Amino acid sequence: MTKAEPNFRPALARAKGLGTAHEGVRHWWGQRLSALLLIPLSLWFVMSLGRHLNSDYQTLVVWIAQPWIGTALALLISSLFYHTYLGLVVIVEDYIHSPFGKYFSILFVRTFCLGLFTLSLFFILRIAILGTSL
Amino acid sequence: MQYPRPLSPHLQIYRPQLTSVLSITHRFTGLVLSFGLIFLVFWLGCLALGPEAYVFGQRVFSTAVFKLCLFGCTFSFYYHLGNGVRHLFWDAGYGFDLRTTYRSGWAVILFALSLTLLTWIFSL
């Protein structure tokens, strides 16, 4: 008999099926997990910025181009945009009441977060490439 | 003409408490930080697009308006971080009694204010 994968939904919820919102727990977990990741990552980033306050352009680029630093920065950006997206969706759901407005506001938030996220990743890659040639 | 149905007074009559004020501040600081994200992306862009772009960025970063925004974002960051940890403890099931809630609430305010000041004093 195969082992059932862990399901965090309560038994009654599984029996009754998904409620009116059709989903929500993933949102809740995503928010908590990204928050846990963000605690060390964001503190590290703020401290690094503090150390590099008076660094010039070259120093910063070379610093980010290092494998661990660049990766940590990319991880920070990823968790940051995911966490922000989830938070903004909650705000939209709470304050925008018309279904039309709600749908398009969430669409806008998604576009905003995904767009800036992709842009940030591109920037980090660009910096990494620049840093190896300096 | 159709008038919207009246609501009984709520925000204007319910006495503000530490719990409710900290809760809405948590949401507000989160919103502030999502705008602050734009600055983060801007900073990355200045680094990625060459030294001239970075010089432009430094000019922006030296303005008083930007420094004011950065101060607001710093406080928002530390507050949201502190209160976020408080939330995570609640999610794990700890600290729901009123006394602990109030104590942790004041601790969050202290944490946010002191770290904001420390960060800014350190960076002068």
Side-chain angles (χ1 to χ4, degrees), chain B residues 6-91:
Chain B
L7 280 176
S8 43
H10 47 100
L11 286 177
Q12 55 268 54
I13 205 155
Y14 208 119
R15 183 159 165 241
Q17 286 142 341
L18 191 72
T19 43
S20 55
V21 170
L22 292 194
S23 178
I24 191 64
T25 312
H26 189 74
R27 177 169 277 196
F28 183 71
T29 51
L31 195 59
V32 166
L33 287 169
S34 23
F35 289 118
L37 257 186
I38 302 176
F39 283 128
L40 185 62
V41 181
F42 174 75
W43 176 75
L44 279 175
C46 288
L47 283 170
L49 297 173
E52 312 85 35
Y54 192 65
V55 167
F56 172 73
Q58 290 202 296
R59 270 180 34 221
V60 171
F61 296 146
S62 58
T63 60
V65 171
F66 175 79
K67 291 204 169 142
L68 193 67
C69 293
L70 193 62
F71 187 79
C73 284
T74 315
F75 174 76
S76 301
F77 170 71
Y78 285 123
Y79 178 89
H80 199 87
L81 176 66
N83 202 230
V85 167
R86 186 165 168 247
H87 260 96
L88 287 175
F89 273 99
W90 285 336
D91 290 336

Side-chain angles (χ1 to χ4, degrees), chain A residues 7-10 13 17-33 82 85-87 89-90 93 110, chain B residues 91:
Chain A
N7 191 331
F8 294 112
R9 293 179 62 207
L18 300 171
T20 36
H22 310 303
E23 48 92 41
V25 175
R26 172 189 281 149
H27 188 285
W28 191 89
W29 270 111
Q31 192 71 308
R32 270 66 185 171
L33 292 175
Y82 185 51
Y85 162 70
L86 291 173
V89 163
V90 172
E93 285 171 352
R110 271 202 157 176
Chain B
D91 290 336

